[in-house]
Amino acid sequence: MGDQIQVITAPLVNVRITSNLNSFMSEKRYDRGLTIGDLKGRLELVTGASSGTMVLEAFDENDKLVCSLSDDAALLGSFNVEENYRIHVTDNSKKMGEFEDLSKVEKFELSEEEYSKRNESVRSFLMKNKLGKYNEEEQQKLEEQRKALEREEEEKAKAISVGSRCEVKALGEPTRRGEVMYVGKVHFKPGLWVGIKYDEPLGKNDGSIGGKRYFDAPMKYGGFTRPAFCEVGDFPVLNYEDDEM
């Protein structure tokens, strides 16, 4: 008998959720062991669509249709839905913006002065106990820590130059090596990021995310990481074939 190939995937998957009923996108983490029927039930809370009438479609990071999640009894893990893919929910039984229109909702309004006078309010409790934003010393410490982390990240990024060989060690992920292709800010998350073309298909993209290209790499050879996880130096290409012998 020939050797059997096992495909091992993480039990949880991060996906982006969009819908024809609203204009916002959310990020969720779901167990691949969920049935599509159970997933629809959870997506009711996210999108406002009805599980009985919703249609689910999965798109990759380049917004290319991958598959339709049409079998309610099938497991999410049985479909080709990978990290950061987008699941679009369509429910034609409802109208676009139906759950975003607040014009018909009766509003309870309280003036700033009246709210400040309330002794049982959250604000009153925080002010009385000097918690959160009402603790000036704590807020100053947090701001100093934030600025220190930003300076540390900026200094680390300055030492990483495009074209350098690097090794990436991120928590919960395998050690990867590659070439630095980009250093700077990105449109999808705050802070500084390092774009890397890996030696092996251990990445998540081809150097582009959400239609914006930062560098060129074969699909699954590109990825982004924080400067803190990236070390530059004389890192030769790992021979993975020799490691498996």
Side-chain angles (χ1 to χ4, degrees):
M1 295 178 64
D3 294 336
Q4 292 184 343
I5 299 176
Q6 286 186 320
V7 178
I8 301 175
T9 57
L12 301 177
V13 60
N14 286 313
V15 292
R16 296 171 292 144
I17 307 298
T18 57
S19 169
N20 71 320
L21 299 181
N22 46 58
S23 58
F24 60 84
M25 179 176 68
S26 58
E27 292 187 11
K28 296 293 180 182
R29 191 171 179 84
Y30 292 116
D31 193 317
R32 295 180 188 271
L34 280 175
T35 65
I36 298 303
D38 290 336
L39 177 63
K40 286 181 176 181
R42 300 192 180 193
L43 290 175
E44 280 187 331
L45 302 176
V46 178
T47 63
S50 298
S51 60
T53 53
M54 68 171 62
V55 176
L56 306 183
E57 294 177 313
F59 295 82
D60 63 18
E61 292 180 331
N62 295 315
D63 264 349
K64 181 180 179 182
L65 178 63
V66 175
C67 60
S68 295
L69 311 181
S70 55
D71 187 350
D72 285 0
L75 299 180
L76 175 60
S78 66
F79 293 91
N80 183 27
V81 178
E82 299 185 19
E83 284 287 299
N84 297 318
Y85 274 22
R86 179 171 65 91
I87 295 180
H88 186 70
V89 180
T90 301
D91 185 353
N92 291 324
S93 69
K94 294 181 173 62
K95 296 180 180 180
M96 171 68 178
E98 183 174 336
F99 299 97
E100 294 178 302
D101 185 7
L102 302 179
S103 61
K104 300 178 181 179
V105 179
E106 185 177 352
K107 298 179 179 60
F108 172 74
E109 296 182 353
L110 190 66
S111 70
E112 187 73 17
E113 182 180 358
E114 290 175 329
Y115 181 71
S116 298
K117 292 178 181 178
R118 291 198 167 194
N119 295 324
E120 76 282 5
S121 68
V122 174
R123 179 189 295 177
S124 175
F125 176 81
L126 294 175
M127 291 177 66
K128 186 182 301 182
N129 294 278
K130 294 185 177 180
L131 298 174
K133 67 179 182 179
Y134 299 102
N135 186 325
E136 294 183 3
E137 184 178 347
E138 181 182 346
Q139 290 301 305
Q140 184 176 355
K141 288 181 180 179
L142 290 174
E143 181 64 16
E144 290 175 354
Q145 291 176 0
R146 185 186 66 80
K147 290 182 178 179
L149 289 174
E150 286 184 354
R151 289 194 296 268
E152 183 179 339
E153 185 176 71
E154 289 174 359
E155 289 301 315
K156 185 67 186 293
K158 288 179 182 178
I160 302 174
S161 58
V162 173
S164 300
R165 289 288 301 171
C166 67
E167 186 172 75
V168 176
K169 293 182 178 180
L171 185 64
E173 297 182 1
T175 298
R176 292 165 288 181
R177 290 184 179 180
E179 178 183 349
V180 177
M181 303 295 290
Y182 176 85
V183 182
K185 293 185 177 182
V186 295
H187 75 282
F188 53 89
K189 283 186 179 179
L192 296 172
W193 291 79
V194 182
I196 299 167
K197 181 170 69 175
Y198 293 110
D199 297 334
E200 295 289 317
L202 301 174
K204 296 181 179 179
N205 52 63
D206 62 349
S208 67
I209 292 184
K212 181 176 177 59
R213 179 163 297 281
Y214 292 89
F215 61 91
D216 292 315
M219 181 55 70
K220 296 299 180 183
Y221 281 76
F224 291 86
T225 190
R226 287 292 196 182
F229 301 140
C230 180
E231 291 293 334
V232 296
D234 184 16
F235 294 109
V237 177
L238 292 173
N239 193 329
Y240 293 89
E241 294 182 357
D242 290 345
D243 292 342
E244 295 174 355
M245 293 179 62

